[in-house]
Amino acid sequence: MNIEELGKQIELAHGSGGKSTHRLIETAILPALKNSTLESLSDAAVINCEEKRLALTTDSFVVHPLLFPGGSIGKLAINGSVNDLAVSGAEPQAILLSLIVEAGLPMEIFLREIKAIADASSKAAVQVIGGDTKVVEHGKGDGMYITTTALGIVDPRINLSPRRIKPGDQIIVSGPIGDHGITILLARGEIDLEANLQSDSRPLWPLVKSMISVCPTAVKWMRDPTRGGVATVLNELSREIKMGIVLFEESIPLREEVRGACEILGLDPLHIACEGQFVAVVEKDLLSELLKELRKVPGGEGAVHIGEVREKPPGVVLAVSTYGGSRRVDMLIGDPLPRIC
Amino acid sequence: MNIEELGKQIELAHGSGGKSTHRLIETAILPALKNSTLESLSDAAVINCEEKRLALTTDSFVVHPLLFPGGSIGKLAINGSVNDLAVSGAEPQAILLSLIVEAGLPMEIFLREIKAIADASSKAAVQVIGGDTKVVEHGKGDGMYITTTALGIVDPRINLSPRRIKPGDQIIVSGPIGDHGITILLARGEIDLEANLQSDSRPLWPLVKSMISVCPTAVKWMRDPTRGGVATVLNELSREIKMGIVLFEESIPLREEVRGACEILGLDPLHIACEGQFVAVVEKDLLSELLKELRKVPGGEGAVHIGEVREKPPGVVLAVSTYGGSRRVDMLIGDPLPRIC
């Protein structure tokens, strides 16, 4: 793909986390900034500091609306960044916080979000150690945008690498998927649907730690399926390892509200963002023990086995049903739900 | 000050870097997020990693217009963050980059800024090791906002601490002040003034390194006077050390264009932002040698002695002229130049 094919302007889909985002990053950004750390495209950059491996990650949050059932932009901004560390096997240590605030934002909303940030960082056991505040004119923002950068230390016992993955490895997810994306969609009030649903935004490190306690090397790969959902992260993985990934359609954990909303709207729940779940590839032998431990941790009660890695078809994610049907699951194309994080 | 006195909504002045920003941070943010690293309010947070001291800093850039003489938002975003490290005595090692792009931004502008980021990071000898891209709807942004986070390693020989400052220490600046702020003001075309002026955006580490080579402990304190200008950083210092700071009015280096624009607009050049200068407090004995070394480094040719620390008046910055007059120089109040970085 060459640069002319990118299109003439930035579109919302470039921020979807799906195919357009990938194209933009791979065609426009990576070639210009190339270095080996960046090219790994992992959730967090890992750099060595003497004997320790430091993990660093940054994310901007532009969720609309700012407040939604189960959370708000401040909570999301903390959990989003610490979770990128957690799925990189790193224990979160500190956060940097940068705010872009629109002039005219009511002070009580600003203060509410500072409190949400304080509460979420205390819950995730990280301190906010630095930051910045910028203000833009009314009409040049949308209340507030938050960028967080999280620093963590990689657990020295863990060994996450797609190169360790073999056919026969199993795929688990920590709980029901799509809660966050559908919650945001409904919170916008543009769709006449009522559901008793809330965002799953939560810190994932306690779940990851429980798996390390079973066996640090049992987990070979982990991602948190935010923008683009489970389908996008598993497609990235299957392409990288050149193996097939098979999901057991009926095992994918879905709340009734999410299933219903997706059916009505014609969305695939596998494309809907979570903000407090991970997908992991684990060793088959330790599968039940890992799930048992995960289910003891608050937030991990819904952890289940959803699929496995197979030799074929290489680079493809398939969802198979117990009735014998199978469908190809692709990355997210376009952006049905912009600004969900 | 209590929280009711903050006002009912966020105003542009809360982003000025001057008094309103200080009030917002001290009243609304610090009490909620308190910890000792954050409370130092330094340009970069310093954390220990085994034998090394790591410096981390984050900044959002919302400059308008995106392109201006001497630079653009991409260049500014790299230099702004690496300079916060440099004035903390840390050699920049890596950058994380987070983009918030407005839908409809022409692709060529996006690509131009990626190139500006690549060029500036290569010039500053740092790699972009991670990032994020979000897109907001047309009308909810202003082209693009960039947040950069920079990681550096503090030079183990340097010892920056306001506690080392004594009356008799001297104040230097690395070159003419106010170039960036006035360049941005003129680039907006709202004022009928023409000037052959460009932003001073440049990486400062080479200048800091040259001072370390003279004597690592000769420099006791350093800041880059961005938003709020030289007046704001020196007021912060004088309050912290409870000593007086005297500036020699005629020694303050100013280009004719900046002087002229400030006179016409009724602005104090000491309040105007620089993006490639530092102010430092240095030992009197090494003053000439430091200036000599600085002037050998590209970008340091205009380094001069501009003032000194005195016992009195405590907490006050005075500008004295050779004719015997003196005026009190306060922090920036309000925001005459919003979104200059």
Side-chain angles (χ1 to χ4, degrees):
Chain A
M1 165 132 192
N2 65 42
I3 225 145
E4 283 70 37
E5 291 169 54
L6 273 177
K8 287 217 169 81
Q9 61 177 32
I10 295 289
E11 310 286 356
L12 279 172
H14 286 121
S16 66
K19 273 198 175 166
S20 305
T21 309
H22 278 252
R23 270 198 207 125
L24 187 71
I25 291 173
E26 277 160 23
T27 315
I29 301 183
L30 289 190
L33 305 177
K34 61 183 162 212
N35 64 70
S36 58
T37 315
L38 186 66
E39 274 154 18
S40 74
L41 283 182
S42 49
D43 277 339
V46 174
I47 47 180
N48 295 315
C49 176
E50 318 244 311
E51 297 297 295
K52 288 181 182 165
R53 281 191 301 158
L54 300 178
L56 269 168
T57 182
T58 195
D59 275 293
S60 288
F61 294 84
V62 299
V63 65
H64 171 79
L66 296 178
L67 185 70
F68 44 81
S72 68
I73 190 170
K75 179 181 181 183
L76 204 62
I78 298 297
N79 288 338
S81 279
V82 298
N83 286 348
D84 280 343
L85 295 181
V87 296
S88 305
E91 180 166 8
Q93 306 287 325
I95 290 263
L96 297 158
L97 175 73
S98 203
L99 308 172
I100 298 176
V101 190
E102 186 189 12
L105 181 76
M107 192 59 76
E108 63 175 296
I109 295 183
F110 181 83
L111 296 173
R112 179 192 76 200
E113 291 311 319
I114 296 296
K115 185 173 182 311
I117 288 164
D119 290 349
S121 51
S122 134
K123 207 158 188 173
V126 287
Q127 289 187 329
V128 176
I129 60 164
D132 185 37
T133 307
K134 293 281 158 64
V135 179
V136 297
E137 301 91 334
H138 185 64
K140 300 292 182 188
D142 197 8
M144 72 195 295
Y145 299 140
I146 302 182
T147 303
T148 46
T149 302
L151 171 76
I153 297 176
V154 180
D155 191 300
R157 300 164 298 171
I158 206 164
N159 181 7
L160 297 171
S161 167
R163 269 169 293 184
R164 291 180 56 221
I165 298 177
K166 296 188 312 276
D169 286 340
Q170 302 298 306
I171 297 167
I172 61 172
V173 66
S174 56
I177 64 168
D179 288 9
H180 179 77
I182 298 299
T183 298
I184 297 298
L185 183 70
L186 298 180
R188 290 188 191 149
E190 291 159 7
I191 291 149
D192 195 18
L193 257 182
E194 272 193 48
N196 185 16
L197 192 67
Q198 57 177 40
S199 166
D200 54 4
S201 174
R202 73 167 69 83
L204 286 173
W205 179 248
L207 301 186
V208 174
K209 213 167 102 180
S210 80
M211 294 197 292
I212 294 175
S213 76
V214 172
C215 170
T217 56
V219 184
K220 299 182 171 185
W221 176 93
M222 247 186 304
R223 289 294 284 272
D224 59 332
T226 57
R227 284 182 298 171
V230 172
T232 300
V233 296
L234 288 180
N235 265 285
E236 288 170 6
L237 178 65
S238 68
R239 286 169 203 195
E240 186 174 355
I241 61 178
K242 296 182 182 65
M243 295 179 212
I245 288 177
V246 169
L247 297 176
F248 313 133
E249 188 91 71
E250 288 83 1
S251 306
I252 296 164
L254 277 184
R255 293 187 205 280
E256 273 317 306
E257 293 89 341
V258 173
R259 187 189 307 277
C262 283
E263 273 171 14
I264 291 169
L265 300 165
L267 299 171
D268 184 343
L270 290 167
H271 285 146
I272 311 295
C274 313
E275 288 289 341
Q277 308 298 348
F278 66 78
V279 192
V281 174
V282 304
E283 281 190 17
K284 194 173 183 171
D285 293 350
L286 291 162
L287 176 64
S288 345
E289 211 181 329
L290 288 170
L291 288 173
K292 206 177 102 193
E293 277 309 307
L294 272 174
R295 288 175 188 151
K296 289 183 196 164
V297 184
E301 301 85 352
V304 285
H305 174 212
I306 59 164
E308 64 185 20
V309 178
R310 291 184 187 167
E311 205 170 325
K312 290 178 182 172
V316 170
V317 179
L318 288 178
V320 301
S321 84
T322 43
Y323 311 110
S326 85
R327 63 181 178 103
R328 184 171 171 161
V329 178
D330 207 347
M331 273 192 190
L332 178 65
I333 299 172
D335 194 359
L337 293 175
R339 294 183 56 192
I340 52 94
C341 63
Chain B
M1 164 134 192
N2 66 42
I3 225 144
E4 283 70 37
E5 291 168 54
L6 273 176
K8 288 216 168 81
Q9 61 176 32
I10 295 289
E11 310 286 355
L12 280 171
H14 286 122
S16 66
K19 273 199 173 165
S20 304
T21 310
H22 277 251
R23 272 199 205 126
L24 187 71
I25 292 173
E26 277 160 23
T27 315
I29 302 183
L30 288 190
L33 304 176
K34 59 183 165 212
N35 64 70
S36 57
T37 315
L38 186 65
E39 275 154 18
S40 73
L41 284 182
S42 49
D43 277 339
V46 174
I47 47 180
N48 295 315
C49 177
E50 319 244 312
E51 298 296 296
K52 287 180 183 164
R53 281 190 301 159
L54 301 178
L56 270 168
T57 182
T58 195
D59 274 292
S60 288
F61 294 84
V62 299
V63 66
H64 170 78
L66 296 178
L67 186 70
F68 45 82
S72 68
I73 190 169
K75 180 181 180 185
L76 204 61
I78 298 298
N79 288 338
S81 279
V82 298
N83 286 349
D84 280 343
L85 295 181
V87 296
S88 306
E91 181 166 7
Q93 305 289 324
I95 289 265
L96 297 158
L97 174 72
S98 201
L99 308 172
I100 298 175
V101 191
E102 186 188 11
L105 181 77
M107 191 60 77
E108 63 174 299
I109 295 183
F110 182 82
L111 296 173
R112 179 192 76 199
E113 291 310 319
I114 296 296
K115 186 173 181 308
I117 288 164
D119 291 348
S121 52
S122 135
K123 206 156 188 174
V126 287
Q127 290 187 329
V128 176
I129 59 164
D132 184 38
T133 307
K134 293 282 157 63
V135 179
V136 296
E137 301 91 334
H138 185 64
K140 301 290 183 190
D142 197 10
M144 73 196 295
Y145 299 141
I146 302 182
T147 303
T148 46
T149 302
L151 172 76
I153 296 175
V154 179
D155 191 299
R157 300 165 297 170
I158 206 165
N159 180 8
L160 297 172
S161 166
R163 269 169 294 185
R164 290 180 57 221
I165 297 177
K166 294 188 313 274
D169 285 340
Q170 301 298 306
I171 298 168
I172 62 173
V173 64
S174 57
I177 66 169
D179 288 9
H180 179 76
I182 299 296
T183 299
I184 297 298
L185 182 72
L186 298 180
R188 290 187 190 150
E190 292 159 7
I191 291 150
D192 195 17
L193 258 182
E194 272 194 48
N196 185 16
L197 193 66
Q198 59 177 36
S199 167
D200 54 4
S201 176
R202 74 167 68 82
L204 287 173
W205 178 248
L207 300 187
V208 173
K209 213 167 103 180
S210 80
M211 294 197 292
I212 294 175
S213 76
V214 172
C215 170
T217 56
V219 184
K220 299 182 170 184
W221 176 93
M222 247 186 304
R223 288 295 283 274
D224 60 331
T226 56
R227 283 182 298 171
V230 171
T232 300
V233 296
L234 288 181
N235 265 284
E236 288 170 7
L237 178 64
S238 67
R239 287 170 202 194
E240 186 174 354
I241 60 177
K242 297 181 180 67
M243 293 179 214
I245 289 177
V246 170
L247 297 177
F248 313 133
E249 188 92 71
E250 288 84 1
S251 305
I252 296 164
L254 277 184
R255 291 189 207 279
E256 272 317 305
E257 294 86 343
V258 173
R259 188 190 306 278
C262 284
E263 273 172 14
I264 291 168
L265 300 165
L267 299 171
D268 184 343
L270 290 168
H271 284 146
I272 311 296
C274 313
E275 288 289 341
Q277 308 298 347
F278 66 77
V279 192
V281 174
V282 303
E283 280 190 18
K284 193 171 183 172
D285 292 350
L286 292 161
L287 176 65
S288 346
E289 211 181 328
L290 288 169
L291 289 172
K292 205 177 104 193
E293 277 309 307
L294 272 174
R295 288 174 188 152
K296 289 183 196 162
V297 184
E301 301 85 352
V304 284
H305 175 211
I306 58 163
E308 65 185 20
V309 179
R310 293 185 186 167
E311 206 170 325
K312 291 179 183 172
V316 170
V317 179
L318 288 178
V320 299
S321 84
T322 44
Y323 310 110
S326 85
R327 64 182 179 103
R328 185 170 171 161
V329 177
D330 207 348
M331 276 192 187
L332 179 65
I333 299 172
D335 195 359
L337 293 175
R339 293 182 58 191
I340 52 96
C341 65

